Amino acid sequence: GVRDVLFLYEENRCSMTYMYEYPEYLKIKLPKKTARRYPAYELYLYGEGNYAEENKNLLLTGIPVLFLPGNAGSYKQVRSLGSIALRKAEDVDFKYHFNFFSVNFNEELVALYGGSLQRQTKFVHECIKVILKLYRDREFAPSSVAIVGHSMGGLVARALLTLKNFKPELINLLITQATPHVAPVMPLDKYLTDFYTAVNNHWILKAQDLRNLTTLSVAGGFRDYQVRSGLAFLPRLSQHDSALSVVSSAVPRAWASTDHLSIVWCKELILATIRAFFDLIDENTRQITEDPKKRMSVLNHHFVRHPAKMFEENPQAFTELTGAFMWITVKGSKWTYSVYNDSDGKYFAFPLASHRKSYSHVYCENSMLDTSSWIYGCINTNSSMCLEAADLSWRAELLPTTKVVMLKLQDYPSLSHIVIQVPPAVGNKYTLGCEFFEEDSRTVQLPVTHLFSFGLSSSKILLNSTGLLYNVQLQHFNQIYQAFKIYIESHCQSLKERKASVYRLHIPWSHEDSIIVAKVPSLAEISAKLHIAQPHDDSSLPELNIYSSPDCQYEVILKTSLLQVLGQIIRFHAGAFPVYIVSNILLTYGGQLSTLRSTGQCSDFSLELVRTAKPYKVEPLISIVVFLQGFNWFREIWESLSLPEVDAAVLSSQDAWFPLVSLILFLFGTGIAYWSGVFFSTSLRLFSSLWLMLIRPTVLQKDKSITPRRFCAMISLALVSWTTCGAFAVLIIYLQYLFKPVQVFVTSVFHFQDSGHSEETSQNSSTHTVKAQSSMDSSPDATQSPSNSTIAEAVNSLKMHITILNLFTWIVLLSLPSLIYWLKNLRYNVRLDPDPCRSTAIILVCILEILMNSSTSEVKSSKLLKITAKVPLPLSVAMLAFGRMHLYRVPHFVTFSLLLHVLCCIV
């Protein structure tokens, strides 16, 4: 599954964007108060060559666009947009042009640490005010700014509207690139999840106030494994006329999936964006139009359905077909025509009266990919030609190798003829074709194979193509956990050169189509999987559109792809893996405490993991709670107890939860927990071997859990946590704790050698440990001998330390992002504020300073051991219930369990 997500995707079909002159970034001077409040942030204006020189005095006359970089993003990523916009402005002799500004967020890791998101949002507000001041007293001064936000920059742009003193009219257009709008990719701290909740709730509750803001979200498709495209779809609102979400693979003239970084420089996508910007200009104000309907029309034109014509706000409804062209009447239901060096123009007229009774649709295609009109509907005719016609070219759709149009005859009762215009083509070679057909004859249904067929069975259908178009409807394909491989094999009767076939997988409830162009004859493979599941109120079927070659047979074979099903599990739920891993380790920890209480010996981590980490101990209870939350009475009781919503229920409401996924994730977590245990044990043996060769250890001795020296160490680390960064204090205590098992291991082995229990001396410390443990397990008098009891206690303590170290490692990993953020911003502020780890770190420092010097003999005699051994199971259940979408809660559960362990050492 990991391999499918990270490596098995389509090749990069994006072209690189290039600058024709050296890019320059002019730093905009900010007000002193703003610069003092946000010392790490800056605002720049992009320019190249002469354009950059002219703008150094900041006498700007263009249309302002602000680029916001994302997680660890650079302000210099604006150059692709800025450079192509400059070239486009040169094409129109600078009648219109854009000024691209970019914010430097110091490449902060805002996808992993949410504490600075609010600060970034407020800084962007200040930048917008500064930008608009630059245009003051200009003839066509703008009153708003368009924003392009990459990744988390798009979320920051949306968050502007949550600020109390922000005026919504300051933004009229927002384009986001690969922005996770729905939820954070890794919810590692509370500030991040709270920020998302505030933004999404505001956009839902204040939807009416946002109707003047037009928003476009572009997702990268399956190449983007950092932000899955389902997260980039804007939350569904009742107002669908002001927001649009598309996947780059469905964008006309791009038709390419992009990874998380290439989406900012993919030439095909940037061209579509810049063309849209220029079409959005109002000729009267020379700024982006204030008309929301026009803005949505432009975005639909460039990002959803391109008719292979230049955008026109109000296209001419009727036109006269003029020119000295020859008129030819075509009475047949099928027609093809090849043009090569044709010096005479022609009109081909298809009378509809004779076809309306027999056929329901007409389909036409044209391989000449220019932007001129080519198909018309005739209204008034005389005996030989059409006097007045409706331009049907606006109903066309652009595909990679052709432009096509399909019309339902019933929708055009006033038309007498369909007219195809073939202009003179000197030096050009292209083909046209039309056919009338009954819809049912070209639509076939193919039921998809079951999820548990594992690719052993397949669904097949054979298409004897005599026409130009087939629609294969995929029945029961509507869930994200479904994934298929579709093979399309084409066979042709003759070996003559044919036009390439186009295969499109069309998902009707979202703009996530994918298109493949294949030579004929050939065998093509399409991966069929979804970014978002079918809404409950939608009954449409996904379609495989085959734009075929006549006289060829097409065989469609569909199989379930187990590899891609696993890939979907990873894609949608990889972020929850830490929860399942820690849950397994916590269950093992509880099992070791239970064994210590019942037998007096601490069991080995790997053996205890196999014995205690069972999914049936945790999953059924969560499933029951999720089921009961479907009833109002239970939900009322749950809310009265102020309990948070179970994460599985939230995922189910988002259609991101599917059968057996939790079991698969739990077993995966068990595997990782097992191998992490093996890794720690192996590493311990290696380090101990080195230690034995270099240092002669001291004799094993008991010590108090709390001494003045350790108390001072606790206070010192607590102060470090409070005054600098909690994650830094956690890392220090972790490194300190890391040497404790090594010390216990070496000392026990050395003590075993000195006690005379080993007859054979070896330099391999691993061998000594095995002998020590075997003599300890097999000798009935082991507990009676002071020497053996000391060794047994040391080995028991060692096993417990390894498990605690395993748990603590995951706490360190989950707090690492805030540590990296703090280190990166250390020159601006010594104290991380806000700090998601501060309070937890202070508690952990105290806990681990005591546990570091504890032994199992203290725990065995404690009255609290019974409770402490039972607590990890309910904590594991709670962790899986409330931690899947809130990873920052995981350390809290582990800390509580370790706190009880400390009390066992004291009480």
Side-chain angles (χ1 to χ4, degrees), residues 343-395:
S343 58
D344 299 321
K346 298 180 179 66
Y347 285 121
F348 291 91
F350 299 82
L352 298 181
S354 58
H355 295 305
R356 288 187 185 276
K357 294 179 181 178
S358 305
Y359 306 108
S360 63
H361 289 71
V362 59
Y363 168 86
C364 293
E365 61 184 20
N366 184 353
S367 64
M368 172 61 83
L369 301 182
D370 61 355
T371 57
S372 58
S373 296
W374 60 283
I375 182 168
Y376 302 89
C378 198
I379 300 171
N380 295 323
T381 59
N382 61 15
S383 57
S384 60
M385 62 180 67
C386 184
L387 300 176
E388 190 178 29
D391 189 352
L392 299 177
S393 304
W394 293 103
R395 304 288 180 185

Side-chain angles (χ1 to χ4, degrees), residues 787-829:
S787 176
N788 274 354
S789 64
T790 306
I791 295 168
E793 183 185 319
V795 172
N796 285 333
S797 298
L798 175 70
K799 291 175 179 176
M800 190 58 69
H801 281 310
I802 287 175
T803 304
I804 293 171
L805 189 63
N806 210 341
L807 276 172
F808 195 43
T809 299
W810 284 98
I811 294 179
V812 172
L813 290 173
L814 291 173
S815 63
L816 212 53
S818 61
L819 175 64
I820 296 169
Y821 179 90
W822 173 72
L823 288 171
K824 222 176 164 191
N825 291 271
L826 197 55
R827 59 183 171 144
Y828 302 108
N829 206 333

Side-chain angles (χ1 to χ4, degrees), residues 762-776:
S762 170
Q763 290 182 354
N764 190 338
S765 63
S766 303
T767 310
H768 296 314
T769 310
V770 174
K771 289 181 180 179
Q773 291 182 10
S774 61
S775 67
M776 185 176 60

Side-chain angles (χ1 to χ4, degrees), residues 865-893:
L865 181 58
K866 184 177 180 181
I867 298 171
T868 305
K870 289 182 178 180
V871 162
L873 176 59
L875 284 179
S876 293
V877 176
M879 192 185 296
L880 290 182
F882 305 116
R884 277 185 274 227
M885 296 178 67
H886 305 82
L887 291 178
Y888 61 87
R889 291 174 179 167
V890 171
H892 302 158
F893 295 112

